[in-house]
Amino acid sequence: MLTASHLGRGLSAVAAATAAVFVAGQRAGSAVLVDERRLLTAGHVLRRTGVTDGGPPVPVEVVFPAAYVTTRVPVQLVLLDAAVDIGMLELILEEEAPSWLPAAVPLSPVRRVPARVSVFGFPREEKALRGVWREFETAGPAADGTVQLDWAGDAGTLPGHSGGPVIDPVTGDLVGVLVQGSQAGRFDRFLPMAVIRQSCPSLPIPWLMAGADARSHFTRHSRGQRSHSRGGDLFRGRAAALAAIYGWMTEPDDQGRPLVVTGQPGAGKSAVLTRAALALEAGRAGPGLAFHARGAFNADLLAAVAGLVGAEHADTREALLDELENTLAGEPVMIVVDALDEAASGPDRRQMADTLLELAAVPGFRVAVATRPLAASGRYLPGELLPALGVSSAENPALVDLDTDRYFDPSGLREFAAAVLTQHQARHPNPAGAAWMVYRADTALRDRLAEVIAARADRNYLVAAMAAVPLSVAEQPVDPAAAGFDPNSKPAGVGEALAKYLDELPGPQQSRIRVLLTALAYARGGGIDDRTWAAATSAPGRSRGLSWG
């Protein structure tokens, strides 16, 4: 049965994107919308179209009952692979992206088949098009590339279910299309996405996003955003770094080692790496894994890679690597890891580095990782993080150091400062009447101020943002050409930017935040939790401490 928890997982959206298929005016099966115009269905649902027997073509139409669309929409057949029993239809629309069209079902980015699946479709014996859900346990692969489903209850699918979506109930992703069923044998079979893609190579290839809030992290950082609520694309420049990452990941020849993106805190490591990763995903490179390592364990990385490639055994690095020896040849697998330096612990960080180094040596694998060096000096000495990733010198071709002349982009930093000053593309620029409005109207003034901010920031995007944000929301604009303007009033480092920020706060609030930041300064390595932080703030004097439940 479909439960409330299923609906909470988004299966109601799956139902809306499932269509009943009509061939020559008669109910023939089901189909599922997979992008703005195309649907997947079982090939045998379309056997009466005239394509398979050489007869005259007959009209094919679809309707989306769960999306409250009762009008039949004509479709054209764009692909029919009888060998694997898969077909693709394309909606014939009079307008682009009509408002009534439901959202497409996201395709599963992983090869591993879930232990349980949900199937939806429109049985032909059902007079009203309401649709029926069924749940199954996956039994295992069959000889023809399908996956067998064992009934979890006392009923399986019905005639008309064929071509319907097979869904992972946890993620709501499409893992395949139903193609066979047996009432007597109490089993059904579906064609998994890995097989479907071989017949339908133009389908999107979404990347697996894993780690803390991974999709949001990669999307927000790729746009240089301070927060999701503000929105906008503030990313500017850094073409050389992007080209280096993209080229490394798409190079036909195996590199045998990971590409390492590094730089000072605030240099834009996450922005560059996440931008490149999403560009690769949009360009249909993959399969790919985008992993956010903040607070993650090495076991999390192993599990994500195993899910991506369909490995059954990944309890240890060695077990995973043994299975990867059987990875399909000619199919590059892309692994992108951000914030390795922020892993859950020092041992996990080192284990992840070892894992990435080993993965990069697997034929067909491409690996890129962003991390701080974590060494105040001697970053290339044995035992440090960069050598653990295979980088032992500044001249290493597998190193993208954003602080170097080769990869630093002065014009990009200036353009970034200008975008922050004007709150470029912000969903809700505010406050009304503030300086950002003047900077938008007076581009010469904006550019003069952005030039000063960039020069003072000294290759640091975080410092540039910390300087530009308060100038953007100030009541009056600042003009570097005005008499008495002091360029040194703009911060030249994170510490100076914080100091200037604190100096502008009211006295009590300033003292409180100074205490918090002073305690936080002693949080080395993996950091401290809230309760320890609160206790530390009480050390100078209990009246200044915090009490958190």
Side-chain angles (χ1 to χ4, degrees), residues 352-385:
M352 284 188 191
D354 292 342
T355 296
L356 295 172
L357 200 62
E358 294 268 19
L359 287 172
V362 176
F365 273 64
R366 306 288 185 271
V367 178
V369 55
T371 183
R372 288 180 294 162
L374 290 183
S377 61
R379 62 170 63 176
Y380 302 113
L381 293 176
E384 297 296 341
L385 183 56

Side-chain angles (χ1 to χ4, degrees), residues 520-539:
L520 194 60
Y522 291 93
R524 306 287 181 175
I528 55 177
D529 58 25
D530 289 350
R531 191 170 299 278
T532 304
W533 190 10
T537 63
S538 301

Side-chain angles (χ1 to χ4, degrees), residues 307-319:
L308 177 70
V309 301
E312 295 297 329
H313 306 288
D315 295 337
T316 66
R317 183 189 309 127
E318 291 71 22

Side-chain angles (χ1 to χ4, degrees), residues 135-398:
E135 289 188 4
F136 300 95
E137 295 176 352
T138 53
D144 59 355
T146 60
V147 176
Q148 181 174 314
L149 300 174
D150 289 343
W151 293 6
D154 57 358
T157 62
L158 301 167
H161 262 116
S162 287
V166 180
I167 300 295
D168 182 342
V170 176
T171 65
D173 293 340
L174 182 73
V175 299
V177 169
L178 186 75
V179 293
Q180 299 175 18
S182 172
Q183 291 287 331
R186 294 177 60 83
F187 69 85
D188 291 83
R189 292 194 180 108
F190 76 93
L191 199 63
M193 287 306 308
V195 177
I196 292 174
R197 282 199 174 93
Q198 295 176 23
S199 299
C200 309
S202 63
L203 285 174
I205 306 178
W207 279 30
L208 173 61
M209 297 283 167
D213 203 17
R215 175 63 74 174
S216 175
H217 171 84
F218 272 75
T219 300
R220 183 165 53 86
H221 281 273
S222 73
R223 297 172 181 171
Q225 295 175 351
R226 292 191 296 122
S227 68
H228 175 77
S229 61
R230 283 194 172 272
D233 188 353
L234 303 179
F235 189 97
R236 297 292 185 277
R238 293 166 279 188
L242 289 172
I245 300 170
Y246 200 94
W248 186 276
M249 300 298 284
T250 56
E251 168 62 42
D253 297 330
D254 290 335
Q255 301 290 347
R257 54 184 170 178
L259 181 73
V260 180
V261 181
T262 195
Q264 62 180 310
K269 300 178 293 298
S270 290
V272 170
L273 187 71
T274 57
R275 186 86 170 189
L278 294 188
L280 288 164
E281 181 188 39
R284 304 185 62 258
L289 165 65
F291 188 82
H292 184 202
R294 177 181 296 165
F297 300 93
N298 184 54
D300 299 327
L301 177 60
L302 295 176
V305 175
L308 177 70
V309 301
E312 295 297 329
H313 306 288
D315 295 337
T316 66
R317 183 189 309 127
E318 291 71 22
L320 174 62
L321 292 170
D322 285 343
E323 285 213 38
L324 292 182
E325 293 297 326
N326 299 319
T327 300
L328 293 177
E331 186 179 37
V333 177
M334 301 188 178
I335 310 293
V336 172
V337 176
D338 187 33
L340 176 62
D341 52 292
E342 300 180 47
S345 67
D348 277 286
R349 182 166 55 242
R350 182 51 60 94
Q351 290 170 24
M352 284 188 191
D354 292 342
T355 296
L356 295 172
L357 200 62
E358 294 268 19
L359 287 172
V362 176
F365 273 64
R366 306 288 185 271
V367 178
V369 55
T371 183
R372 288 180 294 162
L374 290 183
S377 61
R379 62 170 63 176
Y380 302 113
L381 293 176
E384 297 296 341
L385 183 56
L386 295 187
L389 290 164
V391 175
S392 56
S393 74
E395 292 73 36
N396 193 302

